[in-house]
Amino acid sequence: MDASQLALHAEMEERHWWFLGRRRILRALLARLLPPGEERLVVDVGCGTGGNAGALAREYRVVGIDTVETAVQHARVKFPGAHFWCGKLADLPPKADAGAELYLLTDVLEHVSDDFLLLSTVLSRCPEGGHVLITVPAHEHLWSGHDEALGHYRRYDAERLKATWEGLPVSVRLLSYFNARLYPVVRAVRWLSRLSRRSYGTMGTDLRVPVGPVNRLLAGCFGGESRVLVRALEEQRGRAYRTGSSLVAVLRVEREGTVPRTKPPGTAPDHPIAEGR
């Protein structure tokens, strides 16, 4: 993202229904995985402008990390209750995330060319019994100018996401589509966007805050999926929703010592528009 998109993101993550609904879901899942406590450490990898880290800092000790200095600057100003570090995770001093019990990768993997390397690097730092919570955008047929504007390399299906941890010492506690209730709406907006060759929102994205009552209704509808997802996590059912515009996964590290690995040959290609980057 460029500076103007980061400023837009910083504004939208406090108001837009998608960010509000997703944050409600994340907090509900985290509460089941890691009961809140001032000394329980959560690391938000690819924290962007800090919305998730800032919200979680009320209940946990939080470290946010991002490679974009401008994003980290936004986060530090907005959320002094969390600690933010600029750089790559591999370069994070060991003491900075020592004792971390949960790592977040929320809508991050689609922004990197080698998602296998990023996830395995996260797992290499996560202790036995710790968790990694992942969200990514789903379904290539939803690709639009919004993905291009935000610098996405791909959208995922469940099998492509599973490939990133295949063969690593983890167990899958949850792997499900979500944003299922509003999936028909998202699909219609993306179809219209492609047809008109014009984005729904600002700066080539679909980010635009609807009028107050509609925004609250959409946030409540999306965020209300938290109950179904938490129940699927508790019952070890794996999948809560058959389809949706996003995917969520919860991995438990069964054994320490994961060695970071790069994307293997034969992996499904990224979106053609992203391939040339």
Side-chain angles (χ1 to χ4, degrees):
M1 298 186 197
D2 60 25
S4 59
Q5 286 177 327
L6 284 170
L8 172 68
H9 193 275
E11 176 191 358
M12 290 291 179
E13 69 180 352
E14 295 302 302
R15 302 170 51 218
H16 191 279
W17 64 267
W18 185 84
F19 292 99
L20 298 176
R22 186 186 64 163
R23 196 170 300 135
R24 177 177 166 185
I25 290 168
L26 294 176
R27 293 179 74 172
L29 290 171
L30 257 68
R32 295 296 180 180
L33 294 166
L34 190 65
E38 293 181 357
E39 296 306 313
R40 315 292 303 258
L41 178 57
V42 174
V43 179
D44 187 4
V45 181
C47 65
T49 52
N52 291 334
L56 294 172
R58 304 165 194 162
E59 301 165 322
Y60 302 93
R61 186 161 60 97
V62 181
V63 172
I65 177 171
D66 203 280
T67 58
V68 181
E69 178 64 37
T70 307
V72 173
Q73 289 173 354
H74 275 290
R76 286 171 176 160
V77 170
K78 289 173 61 183
F79 306 109
H83 299 280
F84 295 96
W85 195 84
C86 184
K88 294 182 178 180
L89 178 64
D91 299 326
L92 186 70
K95 64 179 182 180
D97 62 344
E101 298 176 77
L102 191 143
Y103 287 76
L104 292 175
L105 275 168
T106 54
D107 289 81
V108 176
L109 291 179
E110 70 274 14
H111 287 277
V112 298
S113 59
D114 195 336
D115 49 344
F116 285 75
L117 179 59
L118 178 54
L119 178 57
S120 58
T121 300
V122 171
L123 291 170
S124 74
R125 301 183 74 108
C126 193
E128 183 177 333
H131 290 88
V132 179
L133 194 161
I134 304 164
T135 62
V136 292
H139 297 310
E140 275 294 316
H141 65 250
L142 292 180
W143 184 277
S144 72
H146 176 83
D147 298 276
E148 297 167 35
L150 295 179
H152 292 176
Y153 280 85
R154 68 196 74 81
R155 299 181 71 92
Y156 290 79
D157 59 25
E159 292 303 313
R160 175 62 178 81
L161 184 57
K162 284 167 61 176
T164 61
W165 64 73
E166 186 176 4
L168 299 180
V170 299
S171 58
V172 182
R173 297 194 57 186
L174 177 69
L175 174 58
S176 178
Y177 289 94
F178 72 122
N179 202 2
R181 296 173 175 176
L182 296 173
Y183 173 63
V185 177
V186 174
R187 188 168 184 173
V189 168
R190 294 298 172 88
W191 180 78
L192 289 171
S193 177
R194 290 195 300 271
L195 189 66
S196 65
R197 298 183 180 180
R198 186 173 63 182
S199 66
Y200 174 77
T202 307
M203 284 184 268
T205 74
D206 288 340
L207 295 175
R208 184 174 73 183
V209 180
V211 294
V214 175
N215 194 57
R216 289 191 292 273
L217 176 65
L218 294 173
C221 185
F222 180 21
E225 294 181 7
S226 60
R227 293 186 294 273
V228 177
L229 290 165
V230 166
R231 187 159 57 247
L233 175 69
E234 292 174 334
E235 297 174 359
Q236 301 289 298
R237 287 192 286 109
R239 184 170 294 188
Y241 293 102
R242 296 181 63 85
T243 193
S245 65
S246 294
L247 276 158
V248 58
V250 174
L251 308 180
R252 185 182 188 276
V253 175
E254 300 297 339
R255 186 177 68 254
E256 294 184 14
T258 294
V259 177
R261 61 179 186 176
T262 57
K263 185 187 295 186
T267 302
D270 294 333
H271 193 278
I273 290 176
E275 281 286 321
R277 289 187 196 143

